């Protein structure tokens, strides 16, 4: 589905999404370069942030280049293999974002609630294990969707009510079996969605409880400022993601689902570098030093 049927609007959309894509890739690459180049940023928090930036680049690269191509060629046809590939990559990197945000919430929980044991708990082995677990969970999520979708037999002239091969749209298609579809949706929703959201909510419950026990206002502000950027990204990512899946089952308006999908597939990866760089003094300092070395 095209975002707009207005022919005169297509050149504007092409330039707009090309700009979004370039800003997202450049911004996230700068975060990765800043973390890699500054020894002071070689900590678990920035290790996971650089991996989140890499995942964001891959997520938007799964969606936007194809969208730009479709707008430029005025074609909305996608092959069976390309659709399954796009869906698989979208699930892998979308789930990676979710898992990494959960891991980063745990990292902030340890840093604020157990500061004296932070380096012992968040050791390199645990960080590598958490990253590997996030990757494996994302691959499992993708393969579960693939195994279900590959059972569908009627894909000729299939219409997808979104600007990409959205898994929720594929599972809601008439050719799918309702029982099988419901099993997948509930399994993925409970095992992955509930795990991630519960981990984040529990971490921030403990974080807020610890911050409230700090006697001074400056101490409370300093403690909360270390997780403010992460909390902003969590609200943006999960707010739009939940809106899409609720909207896909409760609303009959494809446009509303497409706009919500646009938020977490394009806008959120683009805003993440700005949120982290503008609210984080260490990242701003590292970016400034990186610029000075480049000059």
């Amino acid at each position: 589905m095209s975002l707009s049927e207005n022919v005169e609007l297509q050149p504007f959309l092409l330039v707009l999404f090309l700009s979004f894509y370039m800003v997202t890739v450049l911004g996230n690459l700068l975060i990765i370069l800043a973390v890699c180049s500054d020894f002071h940023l070689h900590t678990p928090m920035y290790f996971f942030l650089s991996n989140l930036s890499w995942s964001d680049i891959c997520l938007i690269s799964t969606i936007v280049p194809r969208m730009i191509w479709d707008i430029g060629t005025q074609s909305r046809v996608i092959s069976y293999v390309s659709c399954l590939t796009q869906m698989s990559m979208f699930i892998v990197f979308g789930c990676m974002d979710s898992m990494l945000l959960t891991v980063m919430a745990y990292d902030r929980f340890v840093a604020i609630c157990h500061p004296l044991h932070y380096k012992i708990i968040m050791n390199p082995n645990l960080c590598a294990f958490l990253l590997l677990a996030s990757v494996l969970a994302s691959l499992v999520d993708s393969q579960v969707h693939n195994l279900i979708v590959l059972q569908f037999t009627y894909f000729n002239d299939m219409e997808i009510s979104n600007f990409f091969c959205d898994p929720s749209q594929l599972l809601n298609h008439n050719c799918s079996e309702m029982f099988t579809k419901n099993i997948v949706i509930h399994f993925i929703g409970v095992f992955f969605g509930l795990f991630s959201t519960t981990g984040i909510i529990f971490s921030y419950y403990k974080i807020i409880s610890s911050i409230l026990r700090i006697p001074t206002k400056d101490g409370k502000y300093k403690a909360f400022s270390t997780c403010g950027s992460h909390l902003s990204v969590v609200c943006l990512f999960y707010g739009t993601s939940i809106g899409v899946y609720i909207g896909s089952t409760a609303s009959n308006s494809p446009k509303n689902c497409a706009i919500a999908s646009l938020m977490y597939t394009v806008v959120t990866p683009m805003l993440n570098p700005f949120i982290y760089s503008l609210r984080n003094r260490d990242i701003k300092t590292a970016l400034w030093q990186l610029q000075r070395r480049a000059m």
Side-chain angles (χ1 to χ4, degrees):
M1 186 184 74
S2 175
L3 288 174
S4 175
E5 300 294 339
N6 190 339
V7 178
E8 297 179 354
L9 197 61
Q10 300 306 308
F12 170 75
L13 290 176
L14 190 147
V15 173
L16 179 66
F17 288 113
L18 181 60
S19 302
F20 281 173
Y21 182 67
M22 293 176 66
V23 169
T24 302
V25 172
L26 179 61
N28 283 289
L29 278 178
L30 284 174
I31 295 289
I32 295 171
L33 288 173
V35 172
C36 293
S37 63
D38 193 333
F39 178 78
H40 298 93
L41 299 184
H42 292 179
T43 63
M45 173 183 173
Y46 296 109
F47 169 74
F48 294 123
L49 175 59
S50 61
N51 281 283
L52 179 67
S53 295
W54 175 250
S55 179
D56 281 339
I57 291 174
C58 295
L59 177 64
I60 197 171
S61 297
T62 303
I63 307 296
V64 175
R66 178 75 201 197
M67 184 196 297
I68 294 171
W69 173 264
D70 291 343
I71 294 172
T73 59
Q74 293 296 300
S75 171
R76 287 175 287 172
V77 178
I78 186 168
S79 68
Y80 175 76
V81 174
S82 297
C83 185
L84 289 184
T85 303
Q86 187 183 60
M87 184 194 74
S88 301
M89 294 297 100
F90 166 75
I91 294 172
V92 167
F93 297 115
C95 187
M96 270 287 291
D97 272 12
S98 176
M99 298 299 292
L100 286 172
L101 288 173
T102 306
V103 170
M104 291 171 75
Y106 174 72
D107 172 75
R108 292 299 83 205
F109 157 72
V110 176
I112 294 174
C113 299
H114 305 283
L116 298 179
H117 300 92
Y118 177 72
K119 290 185 178 180
I120 297 174
I121 297 173
M122 297 302 295
N123 58 74
N125 291 335
L126 179 63
C127 292
F129 171 77
L130 291 173
L131 178 62
L132 180 61
S134 299
V135 173
L136 292 177
S138 302
L139 292 173
V140 169
D141 189 1
S142 175
Q143 289 307 307
V144 169
H145 277 84
N146 279 338
L147 290 174
I148 298 300
V149 173
L150 286 172
Q151 295 178 16
F152 303 162
T153 55
Y154 301 103
F155 271 95
N156 291 332
D157 299 324
M158 177 180 176
E159 294 183 1
I160 301 173
S161 300
N162 211 326
F163 56 87
F164 70 104
C165 290
D166 186 0
S168 63
Q169 294 293 331
L170 291 176
L171 293 173
N172 277 327
H173 195 255
N174 292 331
C175 67
S176 65
E177 296 180 12
M178 189 62 66
F179 178 73
T180 303
K181 184 197 75 172
N182 286 335
I183 289 177
V184 175
I185 290 177
H186 286 94
F187 174 79
I188 297 300
V190 171
F191 186 78
F192 292 102
L194 188 61
F195 170 78
S196 298
T197 52
T198 302
I200 291 172
I201 291 171
F202 176 79
S203 296
Y204 273 101
Y205 167 74
K206 290 292 188 180
I207 288 170
I208 293 171
S209 299
S210 296
I211 291 175
L212 291 176
R213 290 196 294 268
I214 299 175
T216 63
K217 289 185 178 180
D218 290 340
K220 290 179 180 178
Y221 176 78
K222 185 177 180 180
F224 189 76
S225 64
T226 62
C227 54
S229 300
H230 175 262
L231 188 59
S232 301
V233 173
V234 166
C235 293
L236 187 62
F237 180 82
Y238 279 99
T240 52
S241 301
I242 292 171
V244 168
Y245 279 92
I246 291 176
S248 66
T249 55
S251 174
N252 292 322
S253 175
K255 283 290 182 183
N256 292 338
C257 291
I259 292 171
S261 299
L262 193 66
M263 286 296 294
Y264 77 87
T265 57
V266 179
V267 178
T268 301
M270 182 182 68
L271 292 180
N272 284 356
F274 294 100
I275 293 173
Y276 275 103
S277 60
L278 293 177
R279 296 176 59 92
N280 190 301
R281 184 180 300 174
D282 293 334
I283 290 291
K284 285 192 287 187
T285 302
L287 289 173
W288 176 250
Q289 293 175 351
L290 189 65
Q291 183 184 7
R292 289 181 61 184
R293 283 199 292 268
M295 294 174 62

